[in-house]
Amino acid sequence: MVASEQNLGKTLRRLRRLADLTQEDLAERSGVSVDVIRQLEQGRKHSARLPTLHALANGLGVELTTLLGDPPAVAKTGEADGPRLVAVRRAIMPPLWGPPPSPVGPDFSLERLREQIADGWSQYHAAEFDVVMKALPDLISEARSASVSGTDADRKAGFAALGKVLQLGGHVAIRMGTTDLALTSLERAIEAAGQSSDPLLLPMIVNSTAWAYQRQGRLEDALYVANRATDDMKSAGLTDTADGLKVWGALTMSAATSAARSRDYDRAASMMEMAEREAARVSKLPAGDDNRMVSVFSPSSVRIERVRLAVQYGHPEDALALAKGMRLSKDTPPSWRTWLLLDVARAHTDIGDAAGAVKTLESLKRVAPEWIRHHTLAVAIVRDLWSLPNHPPGLRPLAEFLGVTE
C-alpha cells in the first residue's frame, strides 16, 4: 500500500472538518454515500476509484491532488523536516535576535543575482525541486544583503530581488505540502515588494498567495485577494504592457479556479472567456526583459487551464475537445505541459478510454519521468486502470514503473 492510500482517510477527515462539513453534509454535496465516507475516514476502506475521489474533492471544494496528498518533491529522511527544508525554513524565517543582514561585498552583482533567481524559477517549472531548495538559502541571504546595500535605487532593486526569491520559496513550500511556511514566505515577499520599485511584483505575489489559500481550502479568501489585485492593477493602469497583462491574466485565471471550486461554474467560465480574449493581446504589447520572472499567461496557458477546469468538474469530453490539436507556445513552462498531459489522461480515464489514457501517460513518462513517478494523481490513474479486467497495451510497464503492481 502506498503512502497516499494510508493517509487518504486522515486527509479526508481533516479537509471535511476544515470545510465545516459533517459526513452527511459531504455525502449530500458529493453524491458519495455516507457509508463510503465513514469507511474511508475510519481506515476500513483504504482507497476508492477515481470518480469517487473526484466527487469527494468537488464536494470539499479542493483539487483532487489535495485530497490524494501531493508527495514531497524530495525524499523524506524520517525526520519532521529534512535538513534541506530546515535550511529553507531558517532562510525564510531567520532566528529571533539573529544578526542583521550584512552589506554585500565588492564582488556582488545584482544582475548575476537576478539571473540566478530566474534560473531558480526555470528549475522550479522543470520540477527540479531539490535543486531549487539547495540554492534557496544562499539566494535569500544574498538578496537580504542587497536590500541594505548601496544607494536608495540599489536598495529598492535589492528588495525586488528579495521579494521574487521569497515568492519562489513560497511556491516550493506549497509543493512540499507546507502551506503555512509558504504563506510566511509570501507575506515577507509582500513586505519586500512594498519597498521595491517594481509595481508588478506585489500582484504577482498576491497570485501566489491566492494559490496557497486554495491549497488550504480557503476559497473565499483566494477569490477575494485575486479579484482585489486585478481591480487594483486596472485602476493603476498596469495592464498596458505584456508583463502587466500577464500578471493580470494569471490573477484572473486564479480567481476563476477559486470560483469553480466554490461551485460558481458560470462565473468561472465567464472569467476564463475574458482571460482568453485578453491573452491574444499579449504578443501585441511592449515586451519585458525576462519571461522567467513574470507570471505565466498566454493563449496556451489559458487553454491548459480551461482543460484542467473541464476535467476537474466533470466535463471530460469538453476537456478532450479543448486539448485536441493544441499547439503550445515556446514560452509554455514544462510544468504546464506536464499538467496538460496528466489532465488529458484523466479525461480519457473518465470516459472509459483506457487505451487513450495509457497512450497519454506514456507521453508524460517520456517528457517528465521523475515528475510522473512522484505525482500521486498519475499513480491514482494507473492504479484505476490496473484494476480493470482487461489491461490495454502499454499499461504493465507504466504500472511497474510507478510501483502499482506491488
Side-chain angles (χ1 to χ4, degrees), residues 46-112:
H46 296 292
S47 63
R49 296 293 305 276
L50 270 176
T52 300
L53 296 174
H54 284 165
L56 288 170
N58 287 343
L60 292 164
V62 300
E63 295 179 55
L64 178 56
T65 49
T66 303
L67 178 58
L68 290 172
D70 277 327
V74 295
K76 282 284 187 183
T77 63
E79 306 170 14
D81 281 341
R84 195 149 287 171
L85 183 55
V86 169
V88 172
R89 282 188 183 277
R90 294 188 74 245
I92 291 171
M93 300 182 292
L96 290 174
W97 304 303
S102 303
V104 297
D107 296 330
F108 171 76
S109 166
L110 181 61
E111 287 304 312
R112 184 175 66 244

Side-chain angles (χ1 to χ4, degrees), residues 28 106 405:
E28 182 177 350
T405 58

Side-chain angles (χ1 to χ4, degrees), residues 49-50 316 320 341-342 344-363 378 380-396 398-399:
R49 296 293 305 276
L50 270 176
L320 292 173
L341 288 170
L342 184 57
V344 169
R346 285 176 60 184
H348 280 297
T349 302
D350 287 348
I351 65 171
D353 180 10
V358 168
K359 185 176 180 180
T360 306
L361 289 170
E362 287 175 332
S363 297
I381 293 173
V382 172
R383 187 186 301 116
D384 229 37
L385 296 172
W386 189 253
S387 69
L388 296 174
N390 298 313
H391 293 168
L395 179 60
R396 175 170 286 279
L398 275 172

Side-chain angles (χ1 to χ4, degrees), residues 260-293:
R261 289 180 193 154
S262 300
R263 297 170 170 261
D264 192 347
Y265 305 121
D266 290 341
R267 186 180 185 186
S270 177
M271 289 178 177
M272 290 304 297
E273 288 170 3
M274 178 173 61
E276 191 155 28
R277 288 195 303 270
E278 291 297 302
R281 296 177 49 224
V282 170
S283 62
K284 302 173 184 177
L285 294 173
D289 296 328
D290 195 334
N291 282 331
R292 296 175 297 171
M293 300 281 268

